[in-house]
Amino acid sequence: MEQNKNEVEQLQAELEEREYEVSAGGGAVSLKINGKKEIVELNIAPEIVDPDDIETLSDLLTAGVNEAIKKVNDTNNEEMNKITGSLNLGMPGLF
């Protein structure tokens, strides 16, 4: 069991170091997020910045951030399941 614990801790550290790229609005908004779910870069195409339509920009940013968080969560869960199998079902807060 100790070996599994060490493997899980090592994998968690590796996953926190990863970076993911995500885009929304056909590339109008792109961002990089790390495995700690911290946005490390955010790019906005100038043509979508319309002072009269802040709602669209807000929607694109929200979609991009939500997709980035989902990508990190999905990847973390897939990688952890390779080590723990179904063991993590009874361990809320593992991620």
Side-chain angles (χ1 to χ4, degrees), residues 36-59:
K36 296 177 190 176
K37 300 177 192 160
E38 300 168 333
I39 304 300
V40 294
E41 185 178 311
L42 177 64
N43 297 300
I44 302 169
E47 62 270 10
I48 67 159
V49 180
D50 179 354
D52 295 326
D53 188 13
I54 297 299
E55 186 176 345
T56 297
L57 179 58
S58 179
D59 289 347

Side-chain angles (χ1 to χ4, degrees), residues 52-79:
D52 295 326
D53 188 13
I54 297 299
E55 186 176 345
T56 297
L57 179 58
S58 179
D59 289 347
L60 288 172
L61 291 171
T62 300
V65 170
N66 286 337
E67 181 60 30
I69 292 169
K70 181 181 181 325
K71 189 170 194 171
V72 171
N73 285 338
D74 289 350
T75 301
N76 288 354
N77 288 335
E78 287 173 22
E79 294 294 325

Side-chain angles (χ1 to χ4, degrees), residues 1 25 32 63 75:
M1 193 69 168
K32 285 185 184 178
T75 301

